[in-house]
Amino acid sequence: MKTIPFFDIVMMPGVSYVFPDTFFPKLQGWEPKVGETMAFLMMKRKKEFGEITLGDLYPVGCIGTVQSIDETSKAVTVAIEKRMITDTIDILEDGEIELTCSDYPDIMDETAEETEKRLQALKQRLYSFVQPYQWGVVARNFIRGWKSMEQMVVSLANQMDLSVEERYALLETASVAKRHTLMEEAVLAMIEAVKVVEEVSDQQQEEQKKQMREMAIKKQMQILQKELDEMHPETINDARRFEMKIEEAGMNPEAKREALKVLNRLKQEGENGHEYGMLYDYLEFVTSLSWKKEEMPPVDLEKAEQILEAEHYGLKKVKERIIQQLAVMALNKKQSGSILLFAGAPGTGKTSIGKSIADALGRKYARVSLGGIRDEAEIRGHRRTYIGAMPGRIMEGIRRSGSSNPVIVLDEVDKLVFDHGGDPASALLEVLDPEQNSTFVDHYMNVPYDLSDVLFICTANYVDDIPEPLYNRMEVINFQGYTESEKVQIAKRHLLPKAMEQTGLKKGQLKISDKVLHMIISGYTAEAGVRGLRKQLDAICRKTAVQILKQSGKNISVSAKNLTQFLDEPPIRPEIATRKKKPGVVTGLAWTQAGGAILFIESLLVAGEGKTTVTGQLGDVMKESVQIAISMVRSLFPKEAELLKENDLHLHIPEGAVPKDGPSAGITMTTALASLLTNKPVSPEFAMTGEISLQGNVMPIGGLPEKLMAAVRSGVKTVLIPKENERNLKDVAEEIKDQLQIIPVETVQEVLKITGIL
Ligand code: ADP
């Protein structure tokens, strides 16, 4: 007899099973024949047919016969009776199992009526279970067809979640009553399981429906509320207004969450609550920021060039560098790029060209002044727990600009102050660092804001005062200041028309010739930029306005003769002209906050015992320069230097020069001392700049263009510069070079010869 091991069917005597032909090859080539008897045996663990061991087999199984084989080679077999394996069992080579079994009869402890009752009761449960379903009718017919509990359980076996042990238990249980109870339990458990699954999915659906409904209602409410608001705008209260603004602002999720939190507190607080004002200010601030990502209008370089040209005269190099930056940004499709640092004296156009860049890019503009900031919180904001907390200046600037990608000019980064109030420079670094600034958190706002699309431009008068890490992030563009004729052009094209417009003067009502403009510039201003010039022109316009009204509209012309009537102050004489030639005094050139400047180094011998006193500007560099100068003079003029033994030397270096640079006054001091000791005066129209080494070599200096401009402004005629700085002359305007005799020098001896001391 063939033995077929099963593991996943419920086997019951009296029930027929259909085996597809694909099943047979697994049984070592067995081909079923109609009428053949075989044993079904259930397997315990392994599912593979080929590797059965005797321990895998459960002892109770069924014998059955092949009843028919249809055209698709399906064998219909019927289980007939249960058997129990009792004896020697062996697995033969061809895979057949040889075994001895005994009968395994049912214990008939239930009457046929009782069984029928159970069957009908179960069928009823199943009818009502299938009824709500569309397929219920088909299922009903199917249920009706079951003649025994066994048949029912075998049919439902696939739907019931029974383990191999549970299936075997159904077969092994000899007591009919017990078996039928097991069967009942299995069927009822199946019905319950299906119900639970359905209930859960019903609940989920219910939940979803609720959410959808809630959303729909909210939306509807918003629409209706909006309509109401439009009908009665006077009834919109603060909370409602903020609610609408928050909805529309396009904030990032964090910001929106925080804003709604504050809004809730505002509602709870009520208008008379003492925190109301603070909460109101916060909401007002965050909702007036622009949160939406702004598209950058395409950069039109030609137009940008035109705008820069139209709004600022000169500044050729600066404009070139700006256009390069715009081109790089356009190519990279980025709204920001390297951080530009505009360095130069006041009034040289640094801030105003920032505005022109914004115009050229079609973007908004804001100026943030950093001068005198000593507290980190001024940059990054105060935490809201402080009374009177405010956002930092950066975010305030963003708000003023009204956009998320403005051009922001950070004015006077060299004027940040460092003391106990944290480190404003490192806060600023965070603002400028493209790695960090997309999630910049202002303490007041307490949520991140994306600054990565902001184009930052910094300005400074003197770059050496900028903290190193900050300076390293920037690309410096120098604004050298303007020559006199450039200033005339700026006055004519920009400053005067603007001043006239502001005072309400019409074109033609005021005329100022170029000659007079030159007089104003050289006689009334002494600056690298044009701020003073603008003030003078404003003053002329105001006086003109009065005169026009008094003289019933007669046009005014300012001439060399009547200029003094228009300007309050007397003209300033060039500094050099006020100076007399005197031994011990020499003109130097310095690079200062205001661009370039001249200064006079003065020395004096007073009766004493060989002491040296130095007053005025005294950086470390300067002290060393003084020592070198004294040694130099001693070695060059040993005889005259005897004077230093019986006299005290007093050297005065005026303030105003930048300490780090020193006024680059090594040669100036040496010349002053040499002049003093030899009693040979040097003309004040002779200016010089350069450090010296102990060997007497003249060393290079910085800021040559600025210094030469200052020399011209102050009336200097001849300038001695270090030979190594000759190459910087290409950066100096021709107009300046034309007005000066520039003599490059290499050694102190040369300097002394040129000045007539040696
Ligand atoms: P800074 O920021 O360097 O101190 P500003 O930009 O404030 O200087 O300039 C001061 C004034 O001078 C502004 O009114 C500006 O328009 C004007 N100005 C400066 N340079 C030029 C220039 N090259 N052409 C036209 N106007 C200029």
Side-chain angles (χ1 to χ4, degrees):
M1 189 165 39
K2 194 79 192 169
T3 305
I4 308 175
F6 286 109
F7 51 88
D8 60 352
I9 64 166
V10 174
M11 193 165 31
M12 288 290 147
V15 180
S16 39
Y17 298 85
V18 178
F19 299 118
D21 59 344
T22 48
F23 181 77
F24 304 125
K26 288 176 191 158
L27 299 171
Q28 278 92 20
W30 174 60
E31 281 207 24
K33 291 178 196 66
V34 176
E36 185 177 4
T37 307
M38 56 182 176
F40 303 101
L41 281 170
M42 301 193 77
M43 251 182 71
K44 207 172 177 185
R45 281 176 297 275
K46 292 185 185 162
K47 290 194 169 190
E48 296 86 19
F49 284 96
E51 311 161 15
I52 306 147
T53 61
L54 298 177
D56 290 336
L57 300 174
Y58 281 114
V60 177
C62 261
I63 54 160
T65 46
V66 179
Q67 206 174 44
S68 63
I69 294 170
D70 70 6
E71 65 279 9
T72 57
S73 308
K74 278 184 191 148
V76 181
T77 62
V78 185
I80 301 167
E81 268 174 11
K82 288 192 224 175
R83 291 278 193 277
M84 183 172 212
I85 304 167
T86 52
D87 209 357
T88 338
I89 308 162
D90 209 0
I91 299 178
L92 301 178
E93 264 180 21
D94 61 358
E96 274 193 41
I97 302 171
E98 199 177 79
L99 39 83
T100 320
C101 13
S102 64
D103 289 350
Y104 192 76
D106 277 349
I107 302 166
M108 300 304 292
D109 49 1
E110 192 176 270
T111 62
E113 288 85 59
E114 280 168 341
T115 304
E116 183 60 21
K117 233 163 134 189
R118 276 186 197 258
L119 181 66
Q120 289 313 323
L122 259 189
K123 277 187 174 181
Q124 285 307 324
R125 284 296 294 270
L126 283 166
Y127 288 148
S128 54
F129 169 61
V130 301
Q131 197 193 349
Y133 300 100
Q134 266 183 345
W135 44 264
V137 187
V138 184
R140 215 181 148 81
N141 289 334
F142 202 60
I143 295 166
R144 193 177 295 127
W146 291 329
K147 297 279 180 289
S148 66
M149 295 281 279
E150 282 70 19
Q151 207 180 358
M152 172 189 289
V153 170
V154 170
S155 299
L156 290 176
N158 280 341
Q159 273 71 48
M160 297 191 295
D161 189 21
L162 296 176
S163 64
V164 178
E165 285 79 10
E166 283 167 331
R167 289 163 202 261
Y168 177 67
L170 288 177
L171 181 69
E172 192 195 30
T173 311
S175 152
V176 176
K178 242 191 205 165
R179 187 167 73 230
H180 286 167
T181 306
L182 283 178
M183 289 174 163
E184 247 170 29
E185 282 170 6
V187 173
L188 292 177
M190 178 198 77
I191 294 176
E192 281 315 303
V194 175
K195 269 193 188 159
V196 168
V197 170
E198 291 203 332
E199 264 168 31
V200 170
S201 80
D202 277 359
Q203 259 174 21
Q204 278 171 352
Q205 271 182 10
E206 203 53 37
E207 200 62 30
Q208 268 178 2
K209 258 197 231 158
K210 223 169 106 186
Q211 277 175 9
M212 305 263 286
R213 196 172 148 73
E214 200 177 311
M215 264 163 62
I217 292 176
K218 269 192 186 159
K219 189 137 201 200
Q220 204 59 31
M221 266 170 63
Q222 273 172 9
I223 295 170
L224 295 176
Q225 185 69 53
K226 210 170 169 186
E227 261 182 50
L228 265 178
D229 292 342
E230 276 163 15
M231 277 184 221
H232 303 286
E234 70 285 353
T235 61
I236 303 179
N237 62 13
D238 291 340
R240 174 77 198 118
R241 194 166 55 82
F242 284 133
E243 207 166 78
M244 293 193 290
K245 278 176 129 186
I246 293 170
E247 256 344 290
E248 282 160 18
M251 295 176 180
N252 58 50
E254 265 174 86
K256 190 167 177 182
R257 216 176 306 132
E258 179 83 7
L260 289 174
K261 212 166 87 188
V262 175
L263 178 64
N264 259 341
R265 275 179 59 199
L266 180 105
K267 285 180 187 164
Q268 285 162 10
E269 191 77 10
E271 280 188 36
N272 298 322
H274 77 280
E275 288 216 320
Y276 190 84
M278 188 268 281
L279 300 168
Y280 180 97
D281 288 346
Y282 178 83
L283 291 170
E284 186 65 40
F285 183 77
V286 292
T287 54
S288 54
L289 282 176
S290 166
W291 290 90
K292 290 172 189 153
K293 194 149 181 89
E294 225 102 16
E295 285 302 314
M296 183 166 104
V299 178
D300 180 343
L301 281 190
E302 243 166 64
K303 204 177 121 221
E305 262 171 346
Q306 279 167 12
I307 292 176
L308 292 181
E309 206 51 58
E311 293 176 4
H312 284 82
Y313 176 81
L315 298 174
K316 190 163 164 277
K317 276 198 158 171
V318 171
K319 288 176 188 165
E320 264 173 26
R321 179 63 189 81
I322 292 172
I323 290 293
Q324 287 166 8
Q325 168 92 354
L326 301 192
V328 171
M329 277 161 53
L331 278 185
N332 285 339
K333 299 212 165 37
K334 286 233 169 101
Q335 309 227 35
S336 60
S338 20
I339 302 145
L340 300 179
L341 171 65
F342 293 170
T348 46
K350 300 182 299 294
T351 319
S352 53
I353 209 159
K355 167 88 177 66
S356 302
I357 293 175
D359 291 345
L361 287 169
R363 283 158 69 172
K364 299 272 173 50
Y365 164 85
R367 176 175 166 266
V368 173
S369 173
L370 300 180
I373 285 190
R374 51 181 66 236
D375 193 343
E376 191 183 340
E378 297 219 34
I379 304 233
R380 218 199 287 261
H382 299 265
R383 291 186 196 284
R384 264 178 289 148
T385 41
Y386 287 90
I387 294 171
M390 280 193 309
R393 293 203 191 176
I394 304 294
M395 288 315 300
E396 180 53 41
I398 300 278
R399 188 195 62 78
R400 260 185 291 125
S401 78
S403 109
S404 62
N405 69 342
V407 174
I408 291 206
V409 171
L410 300 172
D411 230 356
E412 305 192 309
V413 279
D414 53 340
K415 305 283 190 313
L416 289 171
V417 181
F418 305 94
D419 53 20
H420 58 277
D423 182 359
S426 73
L428 195 58
L429 205 59
E430 215 181 294
V431 169
L432 298 175
D433 187 352
E435 302 277 314
Q436 300 182 50
N437 72 4
S438 61
T439 53
F440 175 71
V441 178
D442 179 287
H443 288 329
Y444 177 78
M445 288 171 58
N446 202 24
V447 289
Y449 187 88
D450 185 355
L451 292 176
S452 61
D453 283 346
V454 180
L455 176 61
F456 287 108
I457 295 171
C458 301
T459 83
N461 292 138
Y462 196 69
V463 294
D464 276 0
D465 291 344
I466 300 175
E468 194 77 13
L470 201 56
Y471 180 71
N472 290 342
R473 291 237 150 240
M474 304 175 172
E475 271 187 44
V476 184
I477 300 182
N478 277 316
F479 284 57
Q480 292 174 354
Y482 303 109
T483 64
E484 195 169 308
S485 53
E486 279 176 326
K487 288 180 186 173
V488 169
Q489 293 304 326
I490 293 172
K492 258 172 46 176
R493 294 167 195 230
H494 298 280
L495 303 180
L496 188 56
K498 257 191 238 164
M500 285 174 67
E501 195 189 319
Q502 272 167 10
T503 18
L505 295 174
K506 292 200 188 67
K507 223 176 159 193
Q509 284 187 312
L510 169 65
K511 280 210 179 76
I512 306 179
S513 68
D514 285 8
K515 190 175 148 215
V516 175
L517 285 175
H518 274 288
M519 283 172 70
I520 298 171
I521 292 161
S522 61
Y524 292 82
T525 69
E527 56 178 357
V530 292
R531 268 194 201 166
L533 177 56
R534 199 178 69 179
K535 274 191 202 143
Q536 301 298 347
L537 294 175
D538 285 346
I540 294 176
C541 285
R542 285 195 302 272
K543 288 234 161 128
T544 308
V546 174
Q547 287 201 10
I548 283 185
L549 285 182
K550 276 191 187 160
Q551 298 169 9
S552 54
K554 239 178 89 192
N555 289 350
I556 303 287
S557 185
V558 182
S559 67
K561 271 198 211 130
N562 66 7
L563 177 62
T564 44
Q565 296 168 19
F566 286 89
L567 295 169
D568 296 331
E569 310 141 33
I572 24 174
R573 284 211 290 152
E575 274 177 287
I576 296 300
T578 64
R579 289 279 167 163
K580 295 221 166 61
K581 219 169 149 179
K582 232 179 140 190
V585 182
V586 174
T587 313
L589 292 171
W591 190 11
T592 71
Q593 302 272 3
I598 64 161
L599 48 81
F600 299 101
I601 291 195
E602 299 168 318
S603 58
L604 193 67
L605 283 176
V606 282
E609 53 213 26
K611 272 197 303 190
T612 306
T613 314
V614 187
T615 51
Q617 174 73 49
L618 284 175
D620 286 344
V621 181
M622 191 62 67
K623 281 183 200 153
E624 282 167 19
S625 293
V626 172
Q627 288 308 323
I628 294 176
I630 294 174
S631 302
M632 187 58 58
V633 177
R634 277 204 164 130
S635 83
L636 284 172
F637 304 97
K639 207 159 90 270
E640 288 84 348
E642 289 296 311
L643 280 171
L644 294 173
K645 283 190 187 150
E646 59 240 38
N647 292 292
D648 284 351
L649 171 68
H650 186 165
L651 196 67
H652 180 71
I653 301 138
E655 292 200 38
V658 178
K660 239 189 202 168
D661 174 50
S664 311
I667 58 169
T668 326
M669 282 190 287
T670 313
T671 312
L673 288 180
S675 153
L676 179 73
L677 294 181
T678 57
N679 206 18
K680 290 181 184 163
V682 178
S683 163
E685 290 180 1
F686 243 102
M688 55 189 73
T689 177
E691 272 308 328
I692 49 168
S693 71
L694 255 185
Q695 263 74 45
N697 295 324
V698 180
M699 322 264 277
I701 45 90
L704 186 71
E706 286 84 353
K707 286 178 176 173
L708 295 185
M709 279 196 191
V712 170
R713 275 202 302 277
S714 316
V716 168
K717 299 284 184 270
T718 308
V719 180
L720 309 190
I721 62 164
K723 179 114 176 101
E724 274 189 56
N725 281 110
E726 241 183 329
R727 62 196 153 95
N728 301 114
L729 285 172
K730 67 174 183 348
D731 298 331
V732 178
E734 288 305 319
E735 185 186 335
I736 298 292
K737 287 189 264 191
D738 289 347
Q739 293 178 66
L740 288 173
Q741 187 194 6
I742 300 169
I743 309 173
V745 287
E746 271 180 295
T747 62
V748 175
Q749 281 86 344
E750 270 178 74
V751 177
L752 297 176
K753 273 184 196 141
I754 294 166
T755 47
I757 296 174
L758 256 184

